[in-house]
Amino acid sequence: MIIDTDTMISITEANQNFSRVTKLVDEHGTAVILKNNVPRYLVIDFGKAEKEKTASTEDVLAISERLIRQNMEAYEVLAK
């Protein structure tokens, strides 16, 4: 995952000024909260989360085709 440094905020600042976190999310779509200078939490716009939750049809088809190729031998045995 690529993290925009403009969206990073320390956990201390997030605790003291949560409205800044929400402003970052409104402007950039996400905010990354750092704990001990390491990305620890991701705050994401709810609408974006709903969109990310569902896989696109193309993704599902690509995964299905890959699984069929990987397990073709087993499918052939089961078909007998």
Side-chain angles (χ1 to χ4, degrees):
M1 169 185 270
I2 298 172
I3 299 173
D4 182 356
T5 56
D6 293 337
T7 66
M8 293 181 171
I9 188 168
S10 72
I11 195 163
T12 302
E13 188 173 357
N15 280 329
Q16 294 172 352
N17 191 2
F18 192 73
S19 62
R20 179 148 187 263
V21 176
T22 59
K23 185 178 177 183
L24 286 171
V25 173
D26 288 341
E27 291 174 357
H28 300 279
T30 61
V32 177
I33 299 175
L34 306 172
K35 186 172 184 178
N36 297 325
N37 292 325
V38 176
R40 180 67 184 254
Y41 304 102
L42 176 66
V43 181
I44 188 167
D45 180 86
F46 190 79
K48 187 175 180 180
E50 284 293 309
K51 192 184 326 178
E52 296 291 327
K53 185 173 74 172
T54 58
S56 69
T57 303
E58 293 83 19
D59 291 341
V60 172
L61 290 173
I63 292 168
S64 297
E65 288 174 7
R66 188 185 78 227
L67 290 172
I68 289 170
R69 281 194 308 273
Q70 287 175 345
N71 298 298
M72 185 57 72
E73 188 176 321
Y75 294 136
E76 289 171 352
V77 170
L78 290 171
K80 292 180 183 180

